[in-house]
């Protein structure tokens, strides 16, 4: 309730938080703490959802607090402006990733960053985010791989085609690699992220990856070993 009250205040009187960065940081920390309330178990239901399941977080009971936090971040950016929020958010997420061994902190940071693309006009502004998120595509924890897919896919969709023009060569190779992830849910989200990226990409940016995509979706491990990933820029 206290988070909702402060977010409403930011919407009604945005200058109050815009001019008080300590209060803004405290509010974002409170949001992150709420987002830590997520199921630790990687069970069969999560890792192997039924065919045709919705990837909408609104329908996933495990992501209620994550979605609440993401919506709160979204409302803060909309009311205060991304020029104020993004540097603070990026710095706080970097600190969370570096100082916390608990994967839940990292998950909260990645999911929060997914909200920034809708409000950013200049692709240069998300360069630090791409640098932060991309390595988590190959993280050992499946929920972090999933969160990294979600983040990049959402930003690519929100910033299309500017994101694709700048970051295709950095994001596409590792996303293709986890199309053969051992966890079906991560596989599915990697494919969804690639769909968002390719839909906003010119043809010449897509063609070099087509054979590799086909090989990574092949049931034959031998075929996947034969694939050669394009070198990233």
């Amino acid at each position: 309730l206290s988070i909702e009250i402060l977010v409403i205040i930011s919407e009604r009187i945005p200058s109050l938080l815009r001019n008080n960065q300590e209060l803004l940081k405290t509010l974002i920390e409170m949001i992150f703490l709420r987002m830590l309330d997520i199921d630790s178990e990687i069970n069969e239901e999560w890792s192997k959802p039924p065919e045709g399941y919705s990837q909408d977080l609104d329908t996933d009971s495990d992501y209620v607090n994550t979605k609440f936090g993401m919506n709160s971040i979204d409302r803060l950016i909309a009311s205060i402006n991304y020029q104020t929020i993004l540097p603070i958010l990026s710095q706080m997420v970097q600190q969370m990733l570096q100082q916390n061994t608990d994967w839940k902190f990292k998950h909260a940071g990645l999911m929060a960053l997914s909200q920034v693309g809708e409000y950013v006009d200049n692709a240069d502004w998300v360069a630090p985010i791409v640098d932060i998120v991309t390595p988590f595509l190959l993280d050992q924890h499946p929920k972090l791989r999933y969160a990294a897919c979600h983040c990049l896919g959402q930003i690519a969709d929100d910033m299309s085609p500017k994101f694709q023009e700048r970051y295709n060569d950095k994001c596409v190779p590792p996303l293709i690699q986890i199309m053969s992830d051992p966890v079906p849910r991560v596989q599915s989200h990697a494919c969804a992220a690639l769909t968002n990226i390719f839909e906003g990409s010119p043809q010449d940016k897509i063609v070099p990856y087509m054979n590799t995509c086909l090989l990574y979706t092949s049931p034959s491990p031998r075929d996947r070993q034969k694939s050669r990933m394009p070198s990233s820029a």
Side-chain angles (χ1 to χ4, degrees):
L1 184 59
S2 58
I3 294 174
E4 179 64 19
I5 290 171
L6 288 172
V7 172
I8 290 174
I9 291 173
S10 78
E11 292 173 325
R12 300 291 177 85
I13 318 173
S15 60
L16 184 63
L17 272 76
R18 189 183 300 126
N19 298 327
N20 188 339
Q21 293 206 352
E22 287 306 312
L23 178 58
L24 184 55
K25 289 179 181 178
T26 299
L27 175 54
I28 294 173
E29 287 175 354
M30 292 168 62
I31 293 171
F32 280 152
L33 289 174
R34 175 73 177 269
M35 294 175 73
L36 298 181
D37 187 7
I38 183 173
D39 194 351
S40 298
E41 187 179 1
I42 310 294
N43 56 27
E44 189 86 355
E45 182 181 0
W46 185 89
S47 63
K48 295 181 180 179
E51 185 176 350
Y53 87 104
S54 171
Q55 299 195 61
D56 187 353
L57 296 182
D58 288 327
T59 64
D60 193 330
S61 60
D62 189 30
Y63 282 85
V64 171
N65 291 303
T66 299
K67 187 63 177 178
F68 172 82
M70 291 165 63
N71 286 338
S72 299
I73 294 291
D74 184 81
R75 291 164 62 190
L76 285 177
I77 298 172
S79 60
I80 295 174
N81 71 49
Y82 77 84
Q83 293 94 336
T84 299
I85 294 286
L86 190 52
I88 296 173
L89 188 63
S90 296
Q91 182 183 27
M92 293 179 69
V93 170
Q94 283 181 315
Q95 290 174 348
M96 289 172 65
L97 299 181
Q98 293 169 359
Q99 298 174 8
N100 291 282
T101 56
D102 188 341
W103 68 269
K104 291 184 178 182
F105 284 87
K106 300 175 183 180
H107 183 273
L110 294 172
M111 298 300 277
L113 290 177
S114 72
Q115 300 303 102
V116 306
E118 183 179 355
Y119 303 98
V120 178
D121 296 322
N122 188 338
D124 292 340
W125 274 83
V126 296
I129 293 177
V130 174
D131 290 339
I132 290 171
V133 175
T134 305
F136 283 96
L137 292 171
L138 304 178
D139 193 88
Q140 292 185 350
H141 200 291
K143 287 195 175 182
L144 293 183
R145 299 196 300 275
Y146 176 88
C149 290
H150 178 85
C151 184
L152 293 178
Q154 185 64 57
I155 294 176
D157 185 49
D158 289 336
M159 294 191 68
S160 178
K162 295 178 181 178
F163 181 91
Q164 286 84 341
E165 292 168 358
R166 174 77 186 270
Y167 301 111
N168 263 29
D169 291 340
K170 182 157 191 155
C171 297
V172 170
L175 280 169
I176 291 177
Q177 187 172 342
I178 57 173
M179 287 173 68
S180 58
D181 195 277
V183 178
R185 186 165 186 151
V186 177
Q187 282 185 23
S188 175
H189 228 43
C191 292
L194 282 169
T195 298
N196 287 355
I197 291 174
F198 286 159
E199 284 182 344
S201 301
Q203 183 175 339
D204 64 322
K205 286 282 190 177
I206 300 174
V207 171
Y209 297 109
M210 286 300 94
N211 286 338
T212 310
C213 283
L214 291 173
L215 288 168
Y216 264 79
T217 55
S218 166
S220 168
R222 182 178 300 176
D223 285 345
R224 290 198 293 269
Q225 290 172 3
K226 291 178 181 177
S227 67
R228 293 183 179 180
M229 298 292 293
S231 59
S232 58

